[in-house]
Amino acid sequence: MRKDRTGISQDDDRSPPADLRGAESSNKTRNCCGVGSVSGSTGPISMEFQAPCPDQVLENVLENVLQFLSSRRDRNAASLVCKSWWRVEALTRSDLYIGNCYSVSPRRAMSRFSRVQSVSIKGRPRFADFNLMPIDWGAHFTPWVTAMASAYPWLEKVYLKRMSVTDDDLALLAESFPSFKELVIVCCDGFSTSGLAIVASDCRQLKVLDLIESEVTDDDVDWIACFPESGATCLESLIFDCVECSINFDALESLVVRSPSLKKLRLNCNVSIGQLCRLIVRAPQLTHLGTGSYSSPDDAVPGEHASDLQSALSACKSLVCLSGFKEMLPDYLPAIYPVCANLTSLNFSYANIHSDQIISVIFHCHNLQVLWVLDSIRDEGLQAVASTCKDLRELRVFPLDARGDNEGPVSDVGLQAISEGCRKLRSILYFCQHMTNAAVIAMSRNCPDLEVFRLCIIALHSPDHVTGKPMDEGFGAIVMNCKKLTRLAVSGLLTDRAFGYIGKYGKLLRTLSVAFAGDSDMGLKYVLEGCPRLQKLEIRDSPFGDAALHSGLHHYYNMRFLWMSSCRLSPKGCQEIVRALPRLVVEVIKHDVAVCPDDTVDILYMYRSLEGPRDDAPKVVTILQ
């Protein structure tokens, strides 16, 4: 791929257009046009000025104003005012966000937005994280990076999520953008340590290399050693906790020493406690630290490095975010106590430790705003969080055992404690086996500023475990009392009444996830007819059929996507959507061709697109036309 690519003209200085850096003098020269005449050496000089047309003045003013508009939604709104605003907004946009890589072609996007310095692209829908989508479904980065190589030579930042990225893609990216600074790859696959080595060696101004929950193939390339060896690096963030292969620790330590601006460092499981100590001593300026395994298998005596680790962490006065702990040794847990008072974010979602150990840490974390934990924290641990972390804004409780055949360590008791003690809560993800309406209603009343509420009741079709009634009133209270709610995930035993509440009160709802819930087609109809701002709708294993699907015909063009898997859809019902909405892309996906009969729909994925059906669909995907 690198050899086939044609070079950019030498006349291209590869710097951003002047309009992206500011329009100090250029606007002045194009705002006025002078025509002068000289009638003699001693005669008067007359100068006639031609006033600029009103549209040009407006565009010049807009260009200077819109450069300070950073919100995507505000920019989108501005572009809809009129043709002139549409044109100027495109000229001043430096950040390009593509929420679905198939919603628009690279050619169209780059034709409109010609002065972009930062690109964010999302590919597969979120349910792909749960193995509900074929591995080879698509979302390839190749056409995007190929187009960007010629369209955006001054590109500095790329953010990718759920995309298929190859080593050739990374090689093309590294050689095409000499000012490239930030690469963030989240939940992606297809590349290896060879591709990382090219990025490390060729991107000499790299500030951010974040690899988050991605699958990276180990092909025995020492990619850490490929960073430039001479002089200080520009590196500010290095995250590679998802890279499972062993690393060259000497090269990593040398890199940390050469990176005085390094603020974020998240290590993989191959970094021991002793090595972690050495890195922390070398980089006391860290603000975010991922500890890796947080164990030391070579210790002659358990915990022999504990005092060294505590001393090293004590010197990190700026540390505010702590994560990792994938192979936790409890002997080392007290070593983090000195930094707990400053922490605003703590991620224990990989730490399989019991509630007493977590509580011993929590009691030191009075300033915590973000907490991710396993349900091994138990209700007692959540009560400790409620009494200690009064400034908590985000809580995520993940299941250690996702099977629905046990009692479960967290319940309505823990949820109600959080709602009573953490009144500033804005976002919650809560996995549990059972729940009560009373606890959810208390959450809605005590935390009215909630924007995200995701309750995942693992026991399928589980009612209120005290009253035996459906969970309708609990979720109804959430949408009624939480006026800022934009994201909701529902589960448990729900009737049409719950979806009626959502349709009536969820006017700001943008994302709705439904799993193993619902009563009839009327439930989905209430949602589609009552939630005008709904953008993303994810449904799995629910009793919604063709009638429910057809009730949203008026709204699908305004949505980013609709996902329905293991519901009650028929091929005929899906085909009718295509006839009614020809500009909507309707994909019918067979997760397992051998199991799925032709008269059923395993997965339906619908999304809006300016380009029509894609041309890279695998055999398991049928695009209806």
Side-chain angles (χ1 to χ4, degrees):
M1 179 180 292
R2 300 177 68 182
K3 294 181 180 178
D4 294 339
R5 180 177 163 271
T6 57
I8 294 178
S9 168
Q10 293 181 354
D11 293 334
D12 188 349
D13 63 0
R14 288 179 172 258
S15 60
D19 290 317
L20 286 181
R21 301 190 301 267
E24 300 85 4
S25 60
S26 59
N27 287 340
K28 294 179 181 180
T29 58
R30 67 188 180 196
N31 278 351
C32 61
C33 177
V35 179
S37 63
V38 179
S39 58
S41 58
T42 59
I45 299 178
S46 63
M47 184 73 70
E48 297 178 1
F49 290 94
Q50 179 179 343
C53 65
D55 287 346
Q56 184 63 56
V57 174
L58 174 61
E59 290 195 8
N60 293 340
V61 172
L62 278 175
E63 190 169 330
N64 284 282
V65 172
L66 290 181
Q67 288 184 75
F68 299 99
L69 199 62
S70 58
S71 167
R72 291 196 307 268
R73 292 178 188 172
D74 290 345
R75 279 189 161 274
N76 290 341
S79 70
L80 297 176
V81 172
C82 63
K83 193 77 178 269
S84 177
W85 284 55
W86 179 87
R87 181 169 54 249
V88 174
E89 191 281 318
L91 289 174
T92 58
R93 185 177 293 218
S94 60
D95 300 317
L96 177 62
Y97 175 84
I98 305 295
N100 177 357
C101 64
Y102 290 120
S103 64
V104 64
S105 68
R107 174 195 56 79
R108 184 189 294 266
M110 289 161 206
S111 174
R112 179 182 174 191
F113 303 106
S114 59
R115 300 176 179 181
V116 167
Q117 293 176 284
S118 173
V119 175
S120 301
I121 309 174
K122 292 185 178 181
R124 296 180 288 268
R126 190 182 67 91
F127 272 11
D129 296 346
F130 303 96
N131 298 319
L132 294 178
M133 178 168 279
I135 297 176
D136 60 347
W137 177 79
H140 303 290
F141 181 47
T142 300
W144 286 94
V145 70
T146 302
M148 291 189 300
S150 57
Y152 301 148
W154 47 81
L155 193 71
E156 296 182 356
K157 304 176 184 179
V158 169
Y159 173 95
L160 304 174
K161 188 169 186 180
R162 300 190 185 95
M163 299 283 289
S164 292
V165 183
T166 67
D167 289 340
D168 286 339
D169 295 337
L170 296 179
L172 182 58
L173 181 146
E175 73 175 20
S176 301
F177 312 118
S179 300
F180 193 74
K181 294 180 175 64
E182 299 184 17
L183 177 61
V184 180
I185 303 179
V186 182
C187 300
C188 295
D189 55 30
F191 62 102
S192 70
T193 51
S194 293
L196 298 181
I198 296 172
V199 171
S201 63
D202 291 358
C203 298
R204 295 303 179 106
Q205 299 184 42
L206 195 65
K207 292 184 177 181
V208 175
L209 179 57
D210 291 351
L211 311 170
I212 303 171
E213 297 183 19
S214 295
E215 297 180 12
V216 184
T217 303
D218 178 14
D219 49 10
D220 297 324
V221 174
D222 187 3
W223 65 280
I224 290 286
C226 292
F227 283 91
E229 295 183 358
S230 59
T233 76
C234 303
L235 210 57
E236 297 176 2
S237 178
L238 178 62
I239 296 176
F240 62 96
D241 51 351
C242 65
V243 183
E244 297 181 353
C245 60
S246 60
I247 61 167
N248 181 340
F249 179 76
D250 290 336
L252 176 61
E253 185 176 27
S254 176
L255 176 63
V256 170
V257 171
R258 300 194 315 275
S259 305
S261 299
L262 189 66
K263 299 295 184 183
K264 299 180 181 180
L265 178 64
R266 279 165 51 179
L267 309 165
N268 69 5
C269 286
N270 294 288
V271 178
S272 67
I273 286 285
Q275 293 171 331
L276 176 64
C277 290
R278 290 168 59 179
L279 292 175
I280 296 174
V281 169
R282 297 288 195 177
Q285 76 278 5
L286 289 175
T287 60
H288 295 63
L289 175 64
T291 65
S293 66
Y294 208 70
S295 64
S296 187
D298 298 328
D299 281 2
V301 178
E304 67 175 281
H305 294 291
S307 61
D308 294 336
L309 179 60
Q310 184 167 338
S311 298
L313 286 171
S314 297
C316 295
K317 304 299 183 183
S318 301
L319 197 64
V320 295
C321 179
L322 202 54
S323 62
F325 310 104
K326 292 191 175 182
E327 297 173 5
M328 168 77 78
L329 278 182
D331 294 315
Y332 289 109
L333 195 57
I336 70 173
Y337 291 170
V339 300
C340 286
N342 291 331
L343 290 182
T344 59
S345 177
L346 178 61
N347 186 345
F348 269 168
S349 62
Y350 291 101
N352 185 12
I353 53 179
H354 57 73
S355 60
D356 290 342
Q357 294 167 331
I358 299 176
I359 291 173
S360 69
V361 175
I362 292 299
F363 280 148
H364 294 82
C365 301
H366 294 276
N367 294 314
L368 213 57
Q369 295 184 12
V370 177
L371 176 63
W372 292 17
V373 291
L374 290 172
D375 59 8
S376 57
I377 190 173
R378 306 187 67 85
D379 287 333
E380 298 86 347
L382 293 176
Q383 289 170 335
V385 172
S387 64
T388 306
C389 308
K390 297 301 182 180
D391 204 30
L392 195 68
R393 309 300 173 91
E394 177 182 338
L395 173 66
R396 299 192 184 190
V397 181
F398 298 94
L400 182 61
D401 182 358
R403 294 175 299 178
D405 55 359
N406 54 56
E407 187 62 29
V410 297
S411 67
D412 54 294
V413 175
L415 186 72
Q416 183 148 351
I418 290 294
S419 73
E420 293 172 354
C422 305
R423 301 295 182 104
K424 297 180 181 180
L425 200 66
R426 300 291 184 273
S427 174
I428 184 168
L429 169 62
Y430 197 85
F431 281 86
C432 61
Q433 293 290 348
H434 305 285
M435 184 50 59
T436 64
N437 282 303
V440 180
I441 293 172
M443 172 68 70
S444 74
R445 292 173 177 169
N446 294 328
C447 303
D449 291 330
L450 272 175
E451 298 172 10
V452 176
F453 183 78
R454 294 192 284 168
L455 177 60
C456 303
I457 304 174
I458 299 173
L460 301 184
H461 312 294
S462 177
D464 182 315
H465 80 94
V466 173
T467 67
K469 295 181 179 180
M471 291 295 300
D472 298 343
E473 299 306 318
F475 286 105
I478 289 290
V479 292
M480 277 189 275
N481 298 329
C482 302
K483 306 298 185 182
K484 301 177 182 179
L485 195 72
T486 60
R487 184 173 184 179
L488 175 66
V490 300
S491 55
L493 180 63
L494 297 176
T495 70
D496 291 341
R497 186 180 183 88
F499 294 96
Y501 286 137
I502 295 172
K504 184 175 181 179
Y505 299 103
K507 300 306 180 183
L508 297 183
L509 207 60
R510 297 179 62 85
T511 301
L512 175 62
S513 302
V514 181
F516 303 95
D519 198 19
S520 71
D521 286 342
M522 283 302 299
L524 185 55
K525 183 178 180 181
Y526 288 142
V527 170
L528 291 170
E529 293 181 352
C531 301
R533 299 194 182 185
L534 193 63
Q535 289 286 298
K536 295 180 280 188
L537 180 55
E538 308 167 330
I539 305 172
R540 63 167 297 186
D541 297 273
S542 298
F544 302 132
D546 294 342
L549 179 65
H550 296 161
S551 67
L553 288 174
H554 66 288
H555 189 56
Y556 290 143
Y557 276 149
N558 296 324
M559 292 176 60
R560 185 182 298 175
F561 70 79
L562 167 66
W563 168 284
M564 296 180 70
S565 62
S566 300
C567 294
R568 298 177 180 175
L569 303 176
S570 70
K572 180 181 179 182
C574 296
Q575 190 67 55
E576 291 176 0
I577 295 293
V578 178
R579 285 194 289 267
L581 303 173
R583 291 187 292 113
L584 199 69
V585 177
V586 180
E587 296 191 5
V588 174
I589 306 170
K590 293 185 176 181
H591 193 270
D592 189 339
V593 178
V595 175
C596 301
D598 292 336
D599 59 346
T600 63
V601 174
D602 185 16
I603 298 172
L604 173 69
Y605 182 45
M606 302 193 318
Y607 53 91
R608 62 190 183 195
S609 175
L610 297 175
E611 308 302 328
R614 58 191 175 110
D615 58 6
D616 63 348
K619 292 183 179 180
V620 295
V621 175
T622 301
I623 300 180
L624 303 182
Q625 298 186 41

